[in-house]
C-alpha cells in the first residue's frame, strides 16, 4: 500500500517563503564580521565611503592583466607579379646540346638555325677552356671541368639551378642530332607534366659494358637520339647529384645518365613510349642523306620521327629542315581544307549562320562593334583614280601610287571572278566603290560594277564584296630606350616672332627648368640682311637677356639657354611680309629654313644628342618630352608629333578659351600640315643629310643658304616628290630609319595668331591677309565649320529682319 503525495505550485511558494525567513533570521546584522576576512574588499568599501563624503579619489592601475597578443601573427600574402607564376604555368621545351669547339661554327650553328626558333629555349654546352670570344653563336655555356664523363652532370646541374621551374620538359642531345621540333612539341603536348618522364630511343649496345660491370647500355636512352626528361626527374637528379658523380665510372654518357635517373627516380629502364605517345627517332645506319634521300623519304618511320641521327654535315641539317617544313606545311594545308569543308557542311542549310557565328570569309574575324559613334570605321567612296571625302577638310583627293595599284588589282580579280561565274557578261565600267580598313579584319571593298549581258543584250549591275585579310601580324623589334635622355631643343626665331619666343621662354622655365627636366634649349636667331646684331640696336637683345638670366638662375642644376645667330641673304629676308602670319608653319612658305637651322646648330650640339626642333608658337607639358624620348630611337626611328592648333577664342568669342582643357572639335583641330616639330638623333640626321647632299646641299655657313633655298629637289628625282621638311628627308631616304607620325594632345599651337589678333580688335589687319590657294591646307583656321555656319545663319536672320522692318 503506497502513499501518494500531490505537490502543486502553492507548496513550492510556501517552501520558498519559509526558507527565506529562516536565512534572514540567522544572518548577522553587522557586516563588519564578513568584511574582516577580505581586506581588499574592506579597503575598497572605505574608499567608496570616503568618496561619498567628499574625500579625494586616487585611481589605481591594474597592471597584472597584460593585453592579449595573437598567438599566430597574420602574414601578409604577397601575390606574384604575373599570373603564370602563381598558377605554375611553364614553357614547354628546353633543348640542351653537347658540342665541341670544332663543331660550333658548323654543326651547332646548323642546329641553332633549324631548331632554336621552334623551341622555347636552346643552350649549347662546351668545355670552358676551349671557348673563344669571337663565336657568332652566343647561347653557349662553358664548364671549367674538362672531364668528359662529367659533362652530362654539369649540364644537368646547370639546368636544375637555372631553368628547373621554367620548363616542363628538357631534351638532351649531341650536335649530330636533327630535331623535328614541330613534331616533338605536338607529342609532348599530350603528356602529363605531373609524371616522371625518361623517354627516348634505347641504345644499340655499341657503348658496351662499363668498367664496374653495370648493365648493358641497351637499358638506357641513347643521347645521340635525344633524351626527354621531365622537370620532376631533373629535380630528383639534383637531390642525388653527388651519388651520380661518384658512380659515373663509365665513359658512356648513356650509361651515366641512365644510372643516375634509375637511382634518383626508380625508373628501371628507358621509356620508348609513355601514355600512348611514342617519341620516335630514326637512325641513319647505312644511308647518306645527299645520296639516298629519295629512298629515306619513302619510309614511314622517317616521316614520323622526332629526331634523326647521326647527321655529320651542316648541309644535311638544312636539307632535313627544308623537307620536314614542307611536310608540316602540307599537313597544315590539308587540315585547313578539311576544317573548311566541315564548316561548310555544317552551315549548309543545317543551322543558321547567326547561331554558328560563321562569318565570311572563314577564318577571318568579324569587325569589332564600335563602342560609340566616334569609333565607327567609315566607308570611303572612291574610283580608280580619286577618293571622295578623303577627310573632313578635303572633298576629292588623288590616290597614291600604292592605293591606285591596289584598287586596280582588286578590280581585275573581281572581273575575272565575275566572268568565270558567268561567261556571258562583259565588264564596262565602275558604278561605285567603297573601301574600309579595320585593324582586326583587314581591308574591305564593296564594288558595284556595270556589265553587259551578251545573252540578254542589256546592261546589268552586279555587286561584289572583296576582302584583303590581315594574314600575318609582326611585332617590329625596337631598341630599348629610357625617359632620362637629355633633349636638346632647337627654337628657330625670325624677327617678327620675338613676342612668341618670349612667351615660349617663360613657359619653358616653368615646365622644364623649374622641374629640373634634363633638357637644353638653343635659340636660333634669323637676322635679316641689313638687321643690326650688336649693341642696343640688336632686335633679339631682349631674348638674349632673358636667356642669360635663365642660365644664371638655374646654373646649379646644369640647365642653360644658348643661342646661335644666322644671317639671311637679301633675296630671302626681303620677302617676309604680314601674309606669312596666316601660315601655320613658323617658316612660312620657306619650309627648307628648317634645314638651315639644324645644319648650323648641330655643330654646337654634337652627334650623340637627342634633338627636337620646336616652334616658338607651341606649348607643351612635361609628358610630351617623355614621349619624345620614348618614340625617338637612335638608328631606328624619328618622331614627328601632330600638334593641336587652338582657335583664337579670345578674339572670335565663338569658344571658351582654355589652355589646359582637353582637346575638342570646338576648341581647335589637329594640324596635319604642320611639320615644324620633329625629333631625331644628331648622327642619324647627319648620315641621312650626307646621303641626299646632291638633292639638298648642306649648309655649312650663311653663304650656303641661298644655294639650298634656290635648289629644286624635284629635278633630282627624289622619289615621292620634293623634299621640303626634315620629315621628308628621312621618309625619302634609303636608310632603314622608321618615321613615326602621331597626334599629340599635349603639344599645342596657336600662340602666334592669338598674339597677332590681340592687337587687331576689329580685324582690320587680319582682313587684309591673303592665303595662297596652293597652301590652303597650311593656312590657319580661326574657327570650325559649325561655328562659322552658326554665325552666318545668325547674321543672315538679323539681316532679313532688318529688311522686313
Amino acid at each position: 500500500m503506497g502513499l501518494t503525495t500531490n505537490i502543486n505550485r502553492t507548496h513550492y511558494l510556501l517552501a520558498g517563503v519559509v526558507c527565506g525567513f529562516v536565512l534572514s533570521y540567522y544572518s548577522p546584522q553587522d557586516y563588519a564580521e564578513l568584511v574582516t576576512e577580505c581586506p581588499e574588499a574592506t579597503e575598497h568599501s572605505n574608499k567608496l565611503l570616503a568618496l561619498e563624503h567628499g574625500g579625494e579619489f586616487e585611481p589605481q592601475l591594474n597592471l597584472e592583466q597584460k593585453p592579449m597578443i595573437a598567438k599566430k601573427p597574420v602574414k601578409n600574402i604577397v601575390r606574384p607579379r604575373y599570373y603564370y607564376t602563381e598558377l605554375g604555368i611553364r614553357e614547354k621545351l628546353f633543348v640542351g646540346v653537347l658540342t665541341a669547339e670544332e663543331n660550333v661554327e658548323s654543326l651547332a650553328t646548323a642546329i641553332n638555325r633549324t631548331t632554336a626558333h621552334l623551341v622555347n629555349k636552346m643552350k649549347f654546352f662546351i668545355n670552358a677552356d676551349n671557348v673563344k670570344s669571337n663565336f657568332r653563336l652566343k647561347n653557349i655555356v662553358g664548364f671549367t671541368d674538362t672531364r668528359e664523363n662529367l659533362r652530362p652532370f654539369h649540364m644537368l646541374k646547370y639546368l636544375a639551378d637555372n631553368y628547373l621551374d621554367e620548363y616542363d620538359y628538357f631534351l638532351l642531345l649531341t650536335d649530330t642530332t636533327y630535331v623535328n621540333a614541330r613534331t616533338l612539341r605536338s607529342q609532348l603536348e599530350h603528356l602529363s607534366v605531373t609524371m616522371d618522364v625518361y623517354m627516348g630511343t634505347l641504345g644499340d649496345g655499341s657503348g658496351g659494358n662499363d668498367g664496374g660491370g653495370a648493365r648493358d647500355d641497351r637499358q638506357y636512352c641513347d643521347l645521340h637520339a635525344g633524351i626527354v626528361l621531365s622537370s620532376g626527374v631533373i629535380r630528383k637528379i639534383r637531390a642525388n647529384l653527388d651519388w651520380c658523380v661518384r658512380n659515373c665510372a663509365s665513359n658512356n654518357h648513356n650509361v651515366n645518365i641512365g644510372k643516375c635517373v634509375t637511382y634518383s627516380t626508380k625508373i628501371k629502364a628507358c621509356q620508348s613510349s609513355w601514355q600512348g605517345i611514342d617519341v620516335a627517332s630514326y637512325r641513319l645506319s647505312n644511308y647518306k642523306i645527299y645520296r639516298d634521300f629519295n629512298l629515306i623519304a619513302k619510309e614511314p618511320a622517317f616521316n614520323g620521327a622526332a629526331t634523326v641521327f647521326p647527321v655529320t654535315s651542316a648541309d644535311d641539317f638544312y636539307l632535313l629542315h627544308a623537307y620536314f617544313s614542307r611536310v608540316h606545311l602540307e599537313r597544315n594545308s590539308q587540315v585547313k581544307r578539311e576544317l573548311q569543308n566541315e564548316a561548310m557542311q555544317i552551315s549548309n542549310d543545317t543551322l543558321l549562320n547567326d547561331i554558328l557565328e560563321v562569318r565570311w570569309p572563314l577564318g577571318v574575324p568579324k569587325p569589332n562593334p564600335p563602342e560609340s559613334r566616334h569609333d565607327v570605321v567609315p566607308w570611303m567612296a572612291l574610283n580608280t583614280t580619286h577618293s571622295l571625302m578623303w577627310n573632313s577638310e578635303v572633298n576629292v583627293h588623288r590616290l597614291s601610287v600604292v592605293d591606285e595599284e591596289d584598287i586596280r588589282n582588286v578590280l581585275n580579280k573581281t572581273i575575272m571572278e565575275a566572268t568565270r561565274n558567268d561567261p556571258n557578261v562583259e565588264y564596262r565600267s565602275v558604278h561605285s566603290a567603297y573601301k574600309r580598313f579595320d585593324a582586326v579584319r583587314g581591308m574591305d571593298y564593296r564594288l558595284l560594277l556595270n556589265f553587259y549581258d551578251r545573252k540578254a543584250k542589256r546592261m546589268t549591275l552586279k555587286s561584289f564584296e572583296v576582302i584583303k585579310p590581315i594574314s600575318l601580324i609582326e611585332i617590329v623589334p625596337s631598341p630599348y630606350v629610357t625617359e632620362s635622355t637629355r633633349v636638346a631643343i632647337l627654337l628657330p626665331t625670325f624677327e617678327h616672332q620675338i613676342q612668341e619666343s618670349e612667351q615660349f621662354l617663360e613657359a619653358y622655365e616653368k615646365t622644364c627648368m623649374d622641374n629640373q627636366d634634363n633638357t637644353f634649349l638653343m635659340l636660333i636667331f634669323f637676322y635679316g640682311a641689313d638687321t643690326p646684331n650688336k649693341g642696343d640696336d640688336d632686335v633679339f637683345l631682349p631674348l638674349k637677356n632673358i636667356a642669360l638670366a635663365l642660365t644664371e638662375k638655374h646654373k646649379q642644376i646644369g640647365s642653360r639657354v644658348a643661342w646661335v645667330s644666322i644671317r639671311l641673304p637679301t633675296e630671302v629676308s626681303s620677302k617676309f611680309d604680314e601674309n606669312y602670319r596666316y601660315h601655320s608653319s613658323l617658316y612660312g612658305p620657306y619650309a627648307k629654313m628648317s634645314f638651315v637651322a639644324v645644319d648650323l646648330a648641330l655643330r654646337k650640339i654634337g652627334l650623340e644628342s637627342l634633338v627636337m626642333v620646336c616652334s616658338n608658337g607651341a606649348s607643351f607639358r612635361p609628358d610630351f618630352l617623355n614621349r619624345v624620348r620614348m618614340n625617338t630611337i637612335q638608328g631606328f626611328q624619328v618622331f614627328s608629333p601632330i600638334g593641336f592648333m587652338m582657335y583664337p577664342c579670345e578674339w572670335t568669342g565663338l569658344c571658351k578659351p582654355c589652355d589646359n582643357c582637353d582637346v575638342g572639335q570646338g576648341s581647335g583641330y589637329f594640324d596635319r600640315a604642320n611639320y615644324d616639330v620633329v625629333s631625331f638623333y644628331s648622327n642619324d640626321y647627319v648620315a641621312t643629310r650626307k646621303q641626299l647632299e646632291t638633292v639638298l646641299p648642306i649648309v655649312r655657313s650663311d653663304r650656303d643658304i641661298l644655294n639650298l633655298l634656290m635648289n629644286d629637289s624635284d629635278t633630282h628625282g627624289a622619289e615621292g616628290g620634293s623634299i621640303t621638311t626634315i620629315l621628308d628627308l628621312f621618309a625619302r631616304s634609303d636608310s632603314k630609319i622608321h618615321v613615326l607620325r602621331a597626334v599629340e594632345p599635349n603639344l599645342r599651337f596657336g600662340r602666334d595668331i592669338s598674339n597677332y589678333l590681340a592687337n587687331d580688335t576689329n580685324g582690320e589687319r587680319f582682313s587684309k591677309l591673303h592665303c595662297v590657294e596652293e597652301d590652303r591646307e597650311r593656312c590657319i583656321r580661326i574657327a570650325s565649320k559649325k561655328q562659322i555656319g552658326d554665325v552666318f545663319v545668325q547674321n543672315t536672320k538679323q539681316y532679313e529682319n532688318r529688311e522686313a522692318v
Side-chain angles (χ1 to χ4, degrees):
M1 178 178 173
L3 180 62
T4 303
T5 305
N6 295 327
I7 303 176
N8 53 22
R9 296 179 182 178
T10 307
H11 297 158
Y12 287 113
L13 178 60
L14 294 177
V17 173
V18 172
C19 292
F21 176 77
V22 172
L23 290 176
S24 64
Y25 179 80
Y26 285 99
S27 62
Q29 299 298 326
D30 190 1
Y31 289 96
E33 298 179 3
L34 296 176
V35 299
T36 52
E37 298 180 0
C38 185
E40 297 178 358
T42 306
E43 182 180 359
H44 180 66
S45 301
N46 295 334
K47 291 179 179 179
L48 292 177
L49 293 174
L51 183 62
E52 294 177 357
H53 292 83
E56 295 183 359
F57 173 72
E58 183 178 355
Q60 299 292 327
L61 298 178
N62 182 11
L63 301 178
E64 294 180 359
Q65 297 181 357
K66 298 180 180 180
M68 298 293 292
I69 301 177
K71 296 181 180 179
K72 294 183 179 180
V74 180
K75 296 182 180 180
N76 295 329
I77 300 176
V78 180
R79 296 292 298 275
R81 184 175 183 180
Y82 302 105
Y83 286 124
Y84 72 85
T85 304
E86 184 173 3
L87 298 177
I89 300 175
R90 293 174 293 194
E91 300 289 350
K92 182 56 64 177
L93 182 59
F94 180 99
V95 178
V97 183
L98 286 177
T99 185
E101 176 187 4
E102 58 272 13
N103 297 334
V104 168
E105 300 294 345
S106 56
L107 298 180
T109 302
I111 295 176
N112 186 69
R113 290 179 177 177
T114 57
T115 308
H117 62 286
L118 300 175
V119 298
N120 302 113
K121 191 75 172 180
M122 173 174 280
K123 287 286 185 180
F124 295 87
F125 299 92
I126 195 172
N127 292 333
D129 58 347
N130 294 330
V131 175
K132 55 183 180 180
S133 59
N134 58 350
F135 279 143
R136 287 181 293 179
L137 195 62
K138 301 305 180 183
N139 50 343
I140 298 178
V141 179
F143 302 126
T144 56
D145 191 349
T146 59
R147 288 176 290 180
E148 183 64 22
N149 60 331
L150 296 182
R151 287 181 62 193
F153 301 111
H154 289 305
M155 178 172 59
L156 290 171
K157 185 178 185 305
Y158 178 85
L159 299 180
D161 293 341
N162 296 278
Y163 300 106
L164 181 60
D165 296 328
E166 299 181 17
Y167 300 93
D168 288 332
Y169 297 101
F170 297 83
L171 175 64
L172 311 182
L173 48 87
T174 61
D175 55 7
T176 60
T177 307
Y178 171 76
V179 181
N180 187 0
R182 296 186 179 93
T183 300
L184 180 61
R185 283 180 59 93
S186 63
Q187 291 173 342
L188 294 180
E189 291 288 346
H190 300 281
L191 293 179
S192 174
V193 297
T194 61
M195 306 296 291
D196 291 342
V197 176
Y198 172 51
M199 293 186 65
T201 300
L202 295 175
D204 59 353
S206 61
N209 295 333
D210 57 14
R215 291 175 298 175
D216 191 82
D217 67 344
R218 289 188 178 92
Q219 300 293 330
Y220 306 116
C221 294
D222 190 352
L223 183 62
H224 296 284
I227 302 176
V228 178
L229 299 176
S230 63
S231 57
V233 173
I234 299 289
R235 182 176 288 103
K236 293 178 181 179
I237 289 177
R238 181 176 61 176
N240 299 277
L241 201 58
D242 294 337
W243 183 94
C244 297
V245 172
R246 291 194 305 267
N247 292 272
C248 61
S250 175
N251 291 326
N252 190 344
H253 295 328
N254 304 339
V255 175
N256 293 336
I257 297 176
K259 289 171 60 178
C260 184
V261 172
T262 301
Y263 178 80
S264 302
T265 63
K266 309 308 178 185
I267 299 177
K268 296 181 180 180
C270 177
Q271 302 162 341
S272 58
S273 179
W274 180 253
Q275 294 181 345
I277 303 300
D278 185 11
V279 180
S281 61
Y282 185 83
R283 183 187 299 271
L284 298 170
S285 300
N286 298 320
Y287 288 117
K288 297 295 183 182
I289 295 180
Y290 66 89
R291 183 189 63 191
D292 306 322
F293 190 78
N294 57 337
L295 300 176
I296 300 173
K298 297 178 181 179
E299 298 186 14
F302 173 76
N303 292 319
T307 59
V308 179
F309 72 100
V311 183
T312 58
S313 173
D315 294 336
D316 292 342
F317 275 98
Y318 301 130
L319 178 61
L320 290 171
H321 185 66
Y323 173 76
F324 282 109
S325 297
R326 181 173 64 85
V327 171
H328 181 74
L329 180 61
E330 292 175 353
R331 187 181 299 114
N332 285 347
S333 300
Q334 179 64 25
V335 172
K336 178 182 176 181
R337 288 191 295 269
E338 294 176 356
L339 291 176
Q340 288 180 342
N341 293 333
E342 291 179 2
M344 295 300 297
Q345 292 175 1
I346 293 175
S347 60
N348 187 16
D349 298 333
T350 304
L351 293 175
L352 296 176
N353 289 344
D354 294 336
I355 299 177
L356 293 174
E357 296 186 355
V358 176
R359 304 299 176 189
W360 181 88
L362 294 175
V364 178
K366 61 180 181 180
N368 287 335
E371 297 181 359
S372 64
R373 62 185 179 89
H374 302 290
D375 300 326
V376 176
V377 181
W379 288 89
M380 181 186 300
L382 73 159
N383 53 30
T384 57
T385 57
H386 292 76
S387 61
L388 309 178
M389 295 302 294
W390 186 60
N391 55 36
S392 59
E393 309 298 333
V394 179
N395 294 333
V396 181
H397 183 266
R398 177 77 184 187
L399 291 177
S400 63
V401 177
V402 177
D403 292 337
E404 191 171 350
E405 182 180 0
D406 185 62
I407 184 63
R408 187 166 55 250
N409 293 334
V410 170
L411 186 60
N412 291 336
K413 293 286 186 180
T414 306
I415 296 173
M416 291 176 59
E417 184 69 18
T419 54
R420 186 180 65 86
N421 295 330
D422 189 358
N424 296 320
V425 298
E426 181 181 348
Y427 169 73
R428 290 300 175 85
S429 63
V430 178
H431 180 274
S432 59
Y434 303 88
K435 74 173 182 178
R436 179 184 67 178
F437 177 73
D438 192 308
V440 176
R441 178 178 171 88
M443 184 73 77
D444 283 299
Y445 287 90
R446 289 182 179 177
L447 305 176
L448 290 175
L449 305 181
N450 292 317
F451 287 88
Y452 178 73
D453 192 342
R454 291 190 293 265
K455 186 176 182 180
K457 295 183 180 182
R458 60 183 179 85
M459 295 294 296
T460 180
L461 184 64
K462 291 182 177 294
S463 175
F464 300 91
E465 187 172 354
V466 185
I467 181 174
K468 294 178 62 179
I470 298 177
S471 58
L472 179 62
I473 300 176
E474 290 189 46
I475 299 177
V476 180
S478 60
Y480 177 74
V481 294
T482 62
E483 296 183 357
S484 59
T485 308
R486 183 183 181 90
V487 180
I489 303 176
L490 303 183
L491 189 70
T493 304
F494 292 92
E495 297 178 8
H496 61 281
Q497 298 171 344
I498 297 178
Q499 182 181 1
E500 289 78 17
S501 296
E502 291 178 350
Q503 295 174 349
F504 183 90
L505 288 174
E506 181 181 357
Y508 174 77
E509 181 185 11
K510 296 178 181 179
T511 304
C512 300
M513 305 184 80
D514 291 344
N515 294 330
Q516 299 184 6
D517 202 345
N518 193 12
T519 58
F520 163 70
L521 178 63
M522 174 172 284
L523 303 174
I524 303 174
F525 300 138
F526 287 102
Y527 285 91
D530 302 326
T531 304
N533 60 348
K534 295 182 180 179
D536 296 336
D537 296 333
D538 188 357
V539 66
F540 293 111
L541 182 61
L543 294 178
K544 293 181 179 179
N545 292 335
I546 296 175
L548 293 174
L550 292 177
T551 303
E552 180 65 23
K553 180 179 178 181
H554 299 276
K555 64 180 181 180
Q556 294 182 354
I557 62 175
S559 182
R560 63 190 184 94
V561 180
W563 69 80
V564 62
S565 300
I566 299 175
R567 178 72 67 177
L568 296 176
T570 307
E571 292 81 359
V572 178
S573 59
S574 60
K575 292 184 178 180
F576 279 88
D577 56 16
E578 292 295 326
N579 282 330
Y580 298 157
R581 295 185 180 274
Y582 219 143
H583 210 284
S584 62
S585 174
L586 70 95
Y587 308 104
Y590 296 96
K592 291 184 179 179
M593 280 292 183
S594 58
F595 296 110
V596 177
V598 178
D599 288 349
L600 297 177
L602 282 186
R603 297 180 300 174
K604 298 186 177 181
I605 295 179
L607 295 180
E608 298 295 332
S609 301
L610 171 57
V611 179
M612 184 184 73
V613 184
C614 198
S615 172
N616 48 34
S619 60
F620 54 83
R621 300 176 183 177
D623 294 341
F624 168 68
L625 292 178
N626 291 333
R627 269 188 285 277
V628 169
R629 295 184 178 100
M630 299 299 292
N631 294 326
T632 309
I633 306 173
Q634 186 174 5
F636 184 80
Q637 182 173 279
V638 297
F639 179 48
S640 177
I642 303 175
F644 187 75
M645 180 68 71
M646 303 287 292
Y647 292 139
C649 300
E650 298 89 346
W651 186 78
T652 60
L654 301 178
C655 53
K656 183 179 179 181
C658 181
D659 295 334
N660 297 324
C661 297
D662 295 336
V663 298
Q665 296 180 354
S667 58
Y669 62 97
F670 285 102
D671 193 357
R672 304 185 192 91
N674 193 320
Y675 301 93
D676 291 347
V677 181
V678 59
S679 61
F680 50 85
Y681 274 87
S682 303
N683 49 9
D684 295 338
Y685 175 85
V686 172
T688 308
R689 198 78 168 85
K690 290 181 179 179
Q691 179 185 348
L692 298 176
E693 185 176 3
T694 57
V695 179
L696 290 173
I698 298 177
V699 180
R700 295 181 173 86
S701 63
D702 296 347
R703 294 186 297 271
D704 300 332
I705 297 178
L706 188 61
N707 187 25
L708 172 68
L709 298 180
M710 296 304 174
N711 181 274
D712 187 6
S713 62
D714 290 336
T715 62
H716 292 75
E719 184 179 355
S722 61
I723 300 177
T724 57
T725 64
I726 296 177
L727 194 65
D728 295 336
L729 177 71
F730 288 100
R732 312 260 166 81
S733 65
D734 295 333
S735 63
K736 297 182 180 179
I737 298 179
H738 298 77
V739 176
L740 177 61
R741 182 127 169 101
V743 295
E744 180 52 60
N746 289 330
L747 175 64
R748 306 194 178 186
F749 301 116
R751 180 185 293 149
D752 44 2
I753 190 65
S754 297
N755 294 336
Y756 180 76
L757 294 176
N759 300 323
D760 188 19
T761 308
N762 298 324
E764 298 177 357
R765 296 167 53 195
F766 182 72
S767 61
K768 298 179 181 179
L769 299 181
H770 177 66
C771 181
V772 183
E773 183 66 25
E774 292 77 8
D775 292 338
R776 185 167 296 276
E777 291 183 1
R778 299 178 178 89
C779 293
I780 295 176
R781 300 195 291 270
I782 62 173
S784 64
K785 292 182 179 180
K786 179 179 182 303
Q787 293 169 347
I788 296 176
D790 293 340
V791 173
F792 178 78
V793 172
Q794 183 179 0
N795 292 337
T796 302
K797 291 181 178 179
Q798 294 178 357
Y799 180 77
E800 292 176 352
N801 293 334
R802 286 199 302 268
E803 284 187 347
V805 175

